[in-house]
PDB file of all heavy atoms in Angstrom:
ATOM      1  N   GLY O 119     107.231  78.036 -82.512  1.00 97.00           N
ATOM      2  CA  GLY O 119     108.057  77.536 -81.463  1.00 97.00           C
ATOM      3  C   GLY O 119     108.730  78.612 -80.723  1.00 97.00           C
ATOM      4  O   GLY O 119     109.201  79.651 -81.408  1.00 97.00           O
ATOM      5  N   LEU O 120     108.842  78.529 -79.423  1.00 97.00           N
ATOM      6  CA  LEU O 120     109.571  79.533 -78.614  1.00 97.00           C
ATOM      7  C   LEU O 120     111.028  79.292 -78.458  1.00 97.00           C
ATOM      8  O   LEU O 120     111.773  80.314 -78.203  1.00 97.00           O
ATOM      9  CB  LEU O 120     108.936  79.620 -77.254  1.00 97.00           C
ATOM     10  CG  LEU O 120     107.386  79.969 -77.196  1.00 97.00           C
ATOM     11  CD1 LEU O 120     106.834  80.049 -75.691  1.00 97.00           C
ATOM     12  CD2 LEU O 120     107.130  81.319 -77.993  1.00 97.00           C
ATOM     13  N   ASP O 121     111.458  78.089 -78.673  1.00 96.00           N
ATOM     14  CA  ASP O 121     112.861  77.753 -78.454  1.00 96.00           C
ATOM     15  C   ASP O 121     113.615  78.062 -79.783  1.00 96.00           C
ATOM     16  O   ASP O 121     113.042  77.880 -80.848  1.00 96.00           O
ATOM     17  CB  ASP O 121     112.980  76.329 -78.106  1.00 96.00           C
ATOM     18  CG  ASP O 121     112.462  76.141 -76.635  1.00 96.00           C
ATOM     19  OD1 ASP O 121     112.743  77.023 -75.738  1.00 96.00           O
ATOM     20  OD2 ASP O 121     111.904  75.106 -76.341  1.00 96.00           O
ATOM     21  N   PRO O 122     114.885  78.333 -79.677  1.00 95.00           N
ATOM     22  CA  PRO O 122     115.689  78.657 -80.969  1.00 95.00           C
ATOM     23  C   PRO O 122     115.910  77.416 -81.757  1.00 95.00           C
ATOM     24  O   PRO O 122     116.085  76.352 -81.093  1.00 95.00           O
ATOM     25  CB  PRO O 122     116.979  79.317 -80.462  1.00 95.00           C
ATOM     26  CG  PRO O 122     117.103  78.948 -79.074  1.00 95.00           C
ATOM     27  CD  PRO O 122     115.710  78.699 -78.517  1.00 95.00           C
ATOM     28  N   MET O 123     115.985  77.567 -83.039  1.00 95.00           N
ATOM     29  CA  MET O 123     116.399  76.527 -83.941  1.00 95.00           C
ATOM     30  C   MET O 123     116.931  77.122 -85.160  1.00 95.00           C
ATOM     31  O   MET O 123     116.354  78.076 -85.704  1.00 95.00           O
ATOM     32  CB  MET O 123     115.207  75.560 -84.305  1.00 95.00           C
ATOM     33  CG  MET O 123     115.617  74.318 -85.057  1.00 95.00           C
ATOM     34  SD  MET O 123     114.414  72.962 -85.131  1.00 95.00           S
ATOM     35  CE  MET O 123     113.162  73.658 -86.047  1.00 95.00           C
ATOM     36  N   GLN O 124     118.122  76.611 -85.553  1.00 90.00           N
ATOM     37  CA  GLN O 124     118.724  77.136 -86.772  1.00 90.00           C
ATOM     38  C   GLN O 124     117.817  76.992 -88.025  1.00 90.00           C
ATOM     39  O   GLN O 124     117.231  75.915 -88.204  1.00 90.00           O
ATOM     40  CB  GLN O 124     120.084  76.406 -87.036  1.00 90.00           C
ATOM     41  CG  GLN O 124     121.131  76.748 -86.050  1.00 90.00           C
ATOM     42  CD  GLN O 124     121.526  78.251 -86.103  1.00 90.00           C
ATOM     43  OE1 GLN O 124     121.287  78.979 -86.995  1.00 90.00           O
ATOM     44  NE2 GLN O 124     122.279  78.753 -84.985  1.00 90.00           N
ATOM     45  N   PRO O 125     117.705  77.895 -88.837  1.00 84.00           N
ATOM     46  CA  PRO O 125     116.780  77.920 -89.972  1.00 84.00           C
ATOM     47  C   PRO O 125     117.019  76.710 -91.037  1.00 84.00           C
ATOM     48  O   PRO O 125     116.087  76.319 -91.560  1.00 84.00           O
ATOM     49  CB  PRO O 125     117.032  79.279 -90.726  1.00 84.00           C
ATOM     50  CG  PRO O 125     117.463  80.140 -89.624  1.00 84.00           C
ATOM     51  CD  PRO O 125     118.353  79.260 -88.697  1.00 84.00           C
ATOM     52  N   ARG O 126     118.171  76.183 -91.060  1.00 85.00           N
ATOM     53  CA  ARG O 126     118.411  75.143 -92.028  1.00 85.00           C
ATOM     54  C   ARG O 126     118.465  73.745 -91.403  1.00 85.00           C
ATOM     55  O   ARG O 126     119.059  72.778 -92.001  1.00 85.00           O
ATOM     56  CB  ARG O 126     119.682  75.412 -92.835  1.00 85.00           C
ATOM     57  CG  ARG O 126     119.559  76.699 -93.623  1.00 85.00           C
ATOM     58  CD  ARG O 126     120.601  76.807 -94.774  1.00 85.00           C
ATOM     59  NE  ARG O 126     120.675  78.091 -95.375  1.00 85.00           N
ATOM     60  CZ  ARG O 126     119.816  78.693 -96.023  1.00 85.00           C
ATOM     61  NH1 ARG O 126     118.708  78.154 -96.274  1.00 85.00           N
ATOM     62  NH2 ARG O 126     120.002  79.923 -96.647  1.00 85.00           N
ATOM     63  N   MET O 127     117.866  73.589 -90.237  1.00 90.00           N
ATOM     64  CA  MET O 127     117.976  72.268 -89.566  1.00 90.00           C
ATOM     65  C   MET O 127     117.115  71.214 -90.369  1.00 90.00           C
ATOM     66  O   MET O 127     116.124  71.549 -90.938  1.00 90.00           O
ATOM     67  CB  MET O 127     117.381  72.321 -88.174  1.00 90.00           C
ATOM     68  CG  MET O 127     118.177  73.230 -87.187  1.00 90.00           C
ATOM     69  SD  MET O 127     119.827  72.550 -86.994  1.00 90.00           S
ATOM     70  CE  MET O 127     119.524  71.151 -85.967  1.00 90.00           C
ATOM     71  N   PRO O 128     117.594  69.965 -90.424  1.00 91.00           N
ATOM     72  CA  PRO O 128     116.898  68.957 -91.169  1.00 91.00           C
ATOM     73  C   PRO O 128     115.777  68.426 -90.390  1.00 91.00           C
ATOM     74  O   PRO O 128     115.602  68.737 -89.160  1.00 91.00           O
ATOM     75  CB  PRO O 128     118.037  67.815 -91.179  1.00 91.00           C
ATOM     76  CG  PRO O 128     118.846  67.990 -90.044  1.00 91.00           C
ATOM     77  CD  PRO O 128     118.867  69.524 -89.816  1.00 91.00           C
ATOM     78  N   PHE O 129     114.844  67.758 -91.103  1.00 89.00           N
ATOM     79  CA  PHE O 129     113.636  67.348 -90.447  1.00 89.00           C
ATOM     80  C   PHE O 129     113.872  66.365 -89.295  1.00 89.00           C
ATOM     81  O   PHE O 129     113.102  66.371 -88.369  1.00 89.00           O
ATOM     82  CB  PHE O 129     112.675  66.656 -91.508  1.00 89.00           C
ATOM     83  CG  PHE O 129     111.386  66.276 -90.963  1.00 89.00           C
ATOM     84  CD1 PHE O 129     110.523  67.345 -90.469  1.00 89.00           C
ATOM     85  CD2 PHE O 129     110.838  65.049 -90.909  1.00 89.00           C
ATOM     86  CE1 PHE O 129     109.316  67.052 -89.965  1.00 89.00           C
ATOM     87  CE2 PHE O 129     109.621  64.738 -90.428  1.00 89.00           C
ATOM     88  CZ  PHE O 129     108.824  65.675 -90.002  1.00 89.00           C
ATOM     89  N   SER O 130     115.009  65.709 -89.260  1.00 92.00           N
ATOM     90  CA  SER O 130     115.294  64.861 -88.170  1.00 92.00           C
ATOM     91  C   SER O 130     115.313  65.652 -86.833  1.00 92.00           C
ATOM     92  O   SER O 130     115.226  65.114 -85.734  1.00 92.00           O
ATOM     93  CB  SER O 130     116.608  64.034 -88.343  1.00 92.00           C
ATOM     94  OG  SER O 130     117.722  64.986 -88.564  1.00 92.00           O
ATOM     95  N   ALA O 131     115.624  67.007 -86.924  1.00 94.00           N
ATOM     96  CA  ALA O 131     115.659  67.842 -85.817  1.00 94.00           C
ATOM     97  C   ALA O 131     114.228  68.421 -85.510  1.00 94.00           C
ATOM     98  O   ALA O 131     113.927  68.857 -84.415  1.00 94.00           O
ATOM     99  CB  ALA O 131     116.648  68.927 -85.886  1.00 94.00           C
ATOM    100  N   VAL O 132     113.436  68.527 -86.536  1.00 94.00           N
ATOM    101  CA  VAL O 132     112.086  69.179 -86.472  1.00 94.00           C
ATOM    102  C   VAL O 132     111.172  68.319 -85.521  1.00 94.00           C
ATOM    103  O   VAL O 132     110.427  68.899 -84.721  1.00 94.00           O
ATOM    104  CB  VAL O 132     111.468  69.478 -87.846  1.00 94.00           C
ATOM    105  CG1 VAL O 132     110.029  69.921 -87.738  1.00 94.00           C
ATOM    106  CG2 VAL O 132     112.366  70.451 -88.550  1.00 94.00           C
ATOM    107  N   ARG O 133     111.050  67.059 -85.829  1.00 92.00           N
ATOM    108  CA  ARG O 133     110.134  66.203 -85.105  1.00 92.00           C
ATOM    109  C   ARG O 133     110.311  66.317 -83.579  1.00 92.00           C
ATOM    110  O   ARG O 133     109.443  66.474 -82.850  1.00 92.00           O
ATOM    111  CB  ARG O 133     110.209  64.774 -85.589  1.00 92.00           C
ATOM    112  CG  ARG O 133     109.430  64.508 -86.881  1.00 92.00           C
ATOM    113  CD  ARG O 133     108.932  63.127 -86.916  1.00 92.00           C
ATOM    114  NE  ARG O 133     108.419  62.810 -88.238  1.00 92.00           N
ATOM    115  CZ  ARG O 133     107.103  63.007 -88.483  1.00 92.00           C
ATOM    116  NH1 ARG O 133     106.291  63.427 -87.564  1.00 92.00           N
ATOM    117  NH2 ARG O 133     106.687  62.671 -89.760  1.00 92.00           N
ATOM    118  N   PRO O 134     111.593  66.083 -83.091  1.00 96.00           N
ATOM    119  CA  PRO O 134     111.815  66.221 -81.635  1.00 96.00           C
ATOM    120  C   PRO O 134     111.577  67.601 -81.107  1.00 96.00           C
ATOM    121  O   PRO O 134     111.049  67.846 -80.038  1.00 96.00           O
ATOM    122  CB  PRO O 134     113.286  65.919 -81.437  1.00 96.00           C
ATOM    123  CG  PRO O 134     113.840  65.329 -82.717  1.00 96.00           C
ATOM    124  CD  PRO O 134     112.785  65.672 -83.742  1.00 96.00           C
ATOM    125  N   TYR O 135     111.853  68.701 -81.926  1.00 97.00           N
ATOM    126  CA  TYR O 135     111.566  70.107 -81.539  1.00 97.00           C
ATOM    127  C   TYR O 135     110.087  70.242 -81.377  1.00 97.00           C
ATOM    128  O   TYR O 135     109.677  70.839 -80.360  1.00 97.00           O
ATOM    129  CB  TYR O 135     112.091  70.978 -82.675  1.00 97.00           C
ATOM    130  CG  TYR O 135     111.860  72.488 -82.381  1.00 97.00           C
ATOM    131  CD1 TYR O 135     112.765  73.202 -81.752  1.00 97.00           C
ATOM    132  CD2 TYR O 135     110.674  73.065 -82.819  1.00 97.00           C
ATOM    133  CE1 TYR O 135     112.546  74.572 -81.525  1.00 97.00           C
ATOM    134  CE2 TYR O 135     110.396  74.378 -82.517  1.00 97.00           C
ATOM    135  CZ  TYR O 135     111.351  75.180 -81.897  1.00 97.00           C
ATOM    136  OH  TYR O 135     111.071  76.487 -81.671  1.00 97.00           O
ATOM    137  N   VAL O 136     109.225  69.805 -82.273  1.00 95.00           N
ATOM    138  CA  VAL O 136     107.776  69.907 -82.192  1.00 95.00           C
ATOM    139  C   VAL O 136     107.294  69.091 -81.009  1.00 95.00           C
ATOM    140  O   VAL O 136     106.458  69.676 -80.138  1.00 95.00           O
ATOM    141  CB  VAL O 136     107.146  69.500 -83.450  1.00 95.00           C
ATOM    142  CG1 VAL O 136     105.615  69.359 -83.267  1.00 95.00           C
ATOM    143  CG2 VAL O 136     107.425  70.461 -84.596  1.00 95.00           C
ATOM    144  N   SER O 137     107.718  67.841 -80.795  1.00 94.00           N
ATOM    145  CA  SER O 137     107.232  67.001 -79.733  1.00 94.00           C
ATOM    146  C   SER O 137     107.590  67.527 -78.396  1.00 94.00           C
ATOM    147  O   SER O 137     106.732  67.673 -77.533  1.00 94.00           O
ATOM    148  CB  SER O 137     107.744  65.589 -79.947  1.00 94.00           C
ATOM    149  OG  SER O 137     107.447  64.692 -78.994  1.00 94.00           O
ATOM    150  N   GLU O 138     108.843  67.859 -78.164  1.00 96.00           N
ATOM    151  CA  GLU O 138     109.342  68.315 -76.914  1.00 96.00           C
ATOM    152  C   GLU O 138     108.746  69.781 -76.652  1.00 96.00           C
ATOM    153  O   GLU O 138     108.405  70.047 -75.499  1.00 96.00           O
ATOM    154  CB  GLU O 138     110.830  68.475 -76.931  1.00 96.00           C
ATOM    155  CG  GLU O 138     111.492  67.102 -76.881  1.00 96.00           C
ATOM    156  CD  GLU O 138     113.013  67.143 -77.115  1.00 96.00           C
ATOM    157  OE1 GLU O 138     113.560  68.223 -77.092  1.00 96.00           O
ATOM    158  OE2 GLU O 138     113.525  66.052 -77.582  1.00 96.00           O
ATOM    159  N   GLY O 139     108.689  70.613 -77.690  1.00 96.00           N
ATOM    160  CA  GLY O 139     108.069  71.930 -77.451  1.00 96.00           C
ATOM    161  C   GLY O 139     106.580  71.786 -77.025  1.00 96.00           C
ATOM    162  O   GLY O 139     106.085  72.605 -76.118  1.00 96.00           O
ATOM    163  N   ALA O 140     105.891  70.973 -77.635  1.00 94.00           N
ATOM    164  CA  ALA O 140     104.447  70.698 -77.231  1.00 94.00           C
ATOM    165  C   ALA O 140     104.290  70.218 -75.807  1.00 94.00           C
ATOM    166  O   ALA O 140     103.479  70.702 -75.003  1.00 94.00           O
ATOM    167  CB  ALA O 140     103.715  69.785 -78.166  1.00 94.00           C
ATOM    168  N   GLN O 141     105.139  69.266 -75.403  1.00 94.00           N
ATOM    169  CA  GLN O 141     105.098  68.685 -74.058  1.00 94.00           C
ATOM    170  C   GLN O 141     105.491  69.755 -73.017  1.00 94.00           C
ATOM    171  O   GLN O 141     104.910  69.756 -71.893  1.00 94.00           O
ATOM    172  CB  GLN O 141     106.036  67.466 -74.016  1.00 94.00           C
ATOM    173  CG  GLN O 141     105.599  66.326 -74.754  1.00 94.00           C
ATOM    174  CD  GLN O 141     106.652  65.198 -74.766  1.00 94.00           C
ATOM    175  OE1 GLN O 141     107.695  65.247 -74.205  1.00 94.00           O
ATOM    176  NE2 GLN O 141     106.281  64.056 -75.356  1.00 94.00           N
ATOM    177  N   ARG O 142     106.392  70.607 -73.280  1.00 94.00           N
ATOM    178  CA  ARG O 142     106.831  71.657 -72.283  1.00 94.00           C
ATOM    179  C   ARG O 142     106.167  72.993 -72.406  1.00 94.00           C
ATOM    180  O   ARG O 142     106.459  73.934 -71.809  1.00 94.00           O
ATOM    181  CB  ARG O 142     108.421  71.871 -72.619  1.00 94.00           C
ATOM    182  CG  ARG O 142     109.201  70.672 -72.302  1.00 94.00           C
ATOM    183  CD  ARG O 142     110.786  70.887 -72.413  1.00 94.00           C
ATOM    184  NE  ARG O 142     111.184  72.201 -72.620  1.00 94.00           N
ATOM    185  CZ  ARG O 142     111.739  72.656 -73.721  1.00 94.00           C
ATOM    186  NH1 ARG O 142     111.958  72.017 -74.735  1.00 94.00           N
ATOM    187  NH2 ARG O 142     112.219  73.916 -73.811  1.00 94.00           N
ATOM    188  N   GLY O 143     105.121  73.056 -73.299  1.00 93.00           N
ATOM    189  CA  GLY O 143     104.357  74.289 -73.408  1.00 93.00           C
ATOM    190  C   GLY O 143     105.192  75.414 -74.081  1.00 93.00           C
ATOM    191  O   GLY O 143     104.938  76.590 -73.961  1.00 93.00           O
ATOM    192  N   ARG O 144     106.104  75.064 -74.993  1.00 96.00           N
ATOM    193  CA  ARG O 144     106.969  75.965 -75.739  1.00 96.00           C
ATOM    194  C   ARG O 144     106.607  75.971 -77.161  1.00 96.00           C
ATOM    195  O   ARG O 144     107.364  76.515 -78.092  1.00 96.00           O
ATOM    196  CB  ARG O 144     108.409  75.491 -75.536  1.00 96.00           C
ATOM    197  CG  ARG O 144     108.884  75.399 -74.136  1.00 96.00           C
ATOM    198  CD  ARG O 144     109.136  76.636 -73.460  1.00 96.00           C
ATOM    199  NE  ARG O 144     110.173  77.370 -74.094  1.00 96.00           N
ATOM    200  CZ  ARG O 144     110.385  78.669 -73.961  1.00 96.00           C
ATOM    201  NH1 ARG O 144     109.615  79.398 -73.122  1.00 96.00           N
ATOM    202  NH2 ARG O 144     111.381  79.321 -74.532  1.00 96.00           N
ATOM    203  N   LEU O 145     105.458  75.521 -77.549  1.00 97.00           N
ATOM    204  CA  LEU O 145     104.899  75.586 -78.913  1.00 97.00           C
ATOM    205  C   LEU O 145     103.484  75.933 -78.832  1.00 97.00           C
ATOM    206  O   LEU O 145     102.690  75.522 -78.037  1.00 97.00           O
ATOM    207  CB  LEU O 145     105.083  74.100 -79.506  1.00 97.00           C
ATOM    208  CG  LEU O 145     104.853  73.926 -81.019  1.00 97.00           C
ATOM    209  CD1 LEU O 145     106.065  74.386 -81.776  1.00 97.00           C
ATOM    210  CD2 LEU O 145     104.516  72.502 -81.237  1.00 97.00           C
TER     211      LEU O 145
END
Side-chain angles (χ1 to χ4, degrees):
L120 298 182
D121 294 320
M123 186 162 70
Q124 291 293 345
R126 300 202 191 285
M127 293 298 287
F129 188 58
S130 60
V132 172
R133 280 205 189 271
Y135 178 92
V136 169
S137 178
E138 293 167 16
Q141 290 173 0
R142 294 183 10 246
R144 306 282 299 160
L145 189 80

